[in-house]
Amino acid sequence: MTFAPLRWPDTADAVIRGDLTIAVAYVTPAGGAVVTSVSPVGLGDREAGRLGFTTSLGFPRKLERILRDPHVALAYHTRDHGFATDASLVLAQGSASVDLRPSPERLAELARAGERFLGKTPRGPVWNWLLREYHQERVFVDVDVERFTVWPDLAARGAPTVTGAAPPGAPAGQAPPAKGTAPRVDVSALARRIRGLPHRLLAYRGADGHPVVVPVTVTGHDAAGLRLDAPEGLLPPGGRRAGFLAHAFRPQCVGLGMRTLTGWLTVTEEGVRYAPHTSKGLAAPPYKGLLTVSNGLLAKYGLWRARRDGTAARLRGLAARGPAE
């Protein structure tokens, strides 16, 4: 059965075309979700109902999980340093496909779009060599959107407008992990690390399999985890695996910080508690030249490693096989 493309609403168009950085969430084999930040540079085909972003072979786990389970969500949650001014929060949920070998035309279009958001690309013999893998070995993730949810403000307050599939009910609580639900990282140290990262989001797997991304506020912490506040009704009651993202970025993403967590979310009448189990951080230098050199070298190393350890071939095999049943 085929379905007509879901054309996103007018209120979301400027946001999708203009946000510099968004959050992308995907699900894990254990039924949790991971949420991270990307710069989509306005990628999207409104008539086809398709959004997108790019990544690289240097992040194989993200690609493997999306190839195995294509349920993803994109949250356009901040207007910082972009071109959109509308105050709405846009959540797009859909099914992803991965283009591991994009055409030269598609790569050229990406380069043009990227310069609008990220600034002019340096050129010359040395720069062309340094940035070859960064620009020519990109992987595209295309998302056929099944539901758009638009809140009137970035904090997800107020009644949302939904376009597409009706939202499912709240998902049931999950069985606790075998190692228990308590924090597995130092919560106090984690609280210090995210203090300067003002954008905070939580993601969990919804009842229909799509991740749900919710803006949250950290109101405190103790040995049991982070205490959170979220808009009423957006976090389901009970316990479940969930991902957490805290990040910040500067104009053209020259200088950014990001911390991604996985852990256990508990929602009761007494409040919301998040017990972190894993924590990974990323920081990019606030100097354009140094950032460009770093991107080029990391892309070269990532591609070399992916070819050497078989990642590239494994991803191609997963893409040819399709999502796991």
Side-chain angles (χ1 to χ4, degrees):
M1 181 181 296
T2 60
F3 298 91
L6 181 63
R7 193 174 186 269
W8 55 77
D10 292 342
T11 52
D13 192 55
V15 170
I16 289 168
R17 301 298 184 191
D19 267 6
L20 173 61
T21 297
I22 69 170
V24 171
Y26 53 92
V27 297
T28 69
V34 175
V35 57
T36 186
S37 66
V38 301
S39 293
V41 299
L43 295 181
D45 184 339
R46 193 179 186 191
E47 297 305 316
R50 182 173 298 135
L51 297 172
F53 61 94
T54 65
T55 183
S56 76
L57 294 176
F59 300 98
R61 176 169 289 189
K62 178 199 304 181
L63 290 169
E64 285 186 25
R65 287 179 169 173
I66 291 174
L67 285 166
R68 292 182 184 278
D69 188 332
H71 293 90
V72 300
L74 289 72
Y76 296 77
H77 67 290
T78 168
R79 302 294 97 88
D80 288 359
H81 313 307
F83 303 102
T85 58
D86 186 276
S88 59
L89 171 68
V90 177
L91 178 64
Q93 298 166 293
S95 296
S97 59
V98 177
D99 184 357
L100 292 167
R101 292 175 173 171
S103 68
E105 293 77 15
R106 193 170 198 195
L107 291 169
E109 180 184 357
L110 173 67
R112 289 190 295 271
E115 288 196 340
R116 176 173 177 249
F117 288 87
L118 305 175
K120 289 290 185 181
T121 300
R123 290 179 172 82
V126 174
W127 285 114
N128 292 347
W129 170 83
L130 178 66
L131 298 174
R132 181 177 59 221
E133 289 79 7
Y134 181 75
H135 288 301
Q136 299 302 316
E137 300 293 339
R138 303 301 296 173
V139 175
F140 283 75
V141 180
D142 299 305
V143 181
D144 291 315
V145 182
E146 299 169 25
R147 180 187 302 115
F148 283 98
T149 307
V150 181
W151 285 269
D153 70 17
L154 292 171
R157 293 185 295 258
T161 300
V162 179
T163 305
Q174 296 177 335
K179 294 182 180 179
T181 62
R184 301 174 196 170
V185 301
D186 186 322
V187 179
S188 294
L190 173 63
R192 289 193 298 270
R193 291 190 179 103
I194 67 173
R195 189 171 296 152
L197 305 175
H199 303 296
R200 285 91 180 267
L201 299 161
L202 193 75
Y204 62 91
R205 189 180 67 176
D208 59 359
H210 292 300
V212 180
V213 182
V214 177
V216 295
T217 301
V218 178
T219 60
H221 70 277
D222 54 30
L226 301 175
R227 294 190 296 273
L228 305 180
D229 185 46
E232 186 176 356
L234 294 188
L235 294 180
R240 69 196 66 253
R241 299 174 189 266
F244 182 95
L245 166 68
H247 72 116
F249 55 97
R250 299 184 184 185
Q252 298 183 354
C253 288
V254 179
L256 60 85
M258 177 173 67
R259 186 152 293 272
T260 58
L261 314 175
T262 62
W264 186 259
L265 173 69
T266 304
V267 179
T268 66
E269 293 182 356
E270 284 71 39
V272 180
R273 179 86 60 171
Y274 184 75
H277 292 169
T278 67
S279 173
K280 293 183 179 180
L282 171 70
Y287 307 103
K288 184 159 184 133
L290 181 57
L291 176 63
T292 304
V293 171
S294 299
N295 286 339
L297 293 176
L298 287 172
K300 285 182 178 294
Y301 172 73
L303 182 61
W304 171 82
R305 186 181 63 182
R307 289 171 173 169
R308 184 174 183 269
D309 66 11
T311 294
R314 185 170 67 254
L315 291 173
R316 287 195 294 270
L318 286 172
R321 202 159 52 232
E325 295 297 330

